[in-house]
Amino acid sequence: MGKTNNPGNKSKPRVKVSILHLLLILAGANCIMLFAPNVGMLNSFLYIPDLYTWPASVVGIVLLVFGFNGLYKQ
């Protein structure tokens, strides 16, 4: 009886997650949650003018985009 041709362990390589990009995602999400105009957590008990809330929300969205852009590496 012959031996079968065992190709070995053909599992996919592990995906690496970039810690820097993960921190960018967390910082962007916090900026959006805290400073979103009319619904942010800081706006619920403090009055923060729209002069500061809209740019902070845009910065949060930009951080999310840059964070998700390079999150996974092969």
Side-chain angles (χ1 to χ4, degrees), residues 1-22:
M1 196 147 114
K3 291 184 179 179
T4 59
N5 213 358
N6 193 359
N9 197 1
K10 285 194 171 186
S11 62
K12 293 181 182 177
R14 293 183 63 177
V15 177
K16 296 178 185 175
V17 177
S18 173
I19 300 297
L20 174 68
H21 290 275
L22 186 65

Side-chain angles (χ1 to χ4, degrees), residues 6-47:
N6 193 359
N9 197 1
K10 285 194 171 186
S11 62
K12 293 181 182 177
R14 293 183 63 177
V15 177
K16 296 178 185 175
V17 177
S18 173
I19 300 297
L20 174 68
H21 290 275
L22 186 65
L23 290 175
L24 285 175
I25 291 170
L26 290 174
N30 282 333
C31 282
I32 292 172
M33 284 181 13
L34 288 175
F35 295 111
N38 299 325
V39 293
M41 289 182 188
L42 286 180
N43 285 331
S44 65
F45 59 90
L46 295 174
Y47 173 71

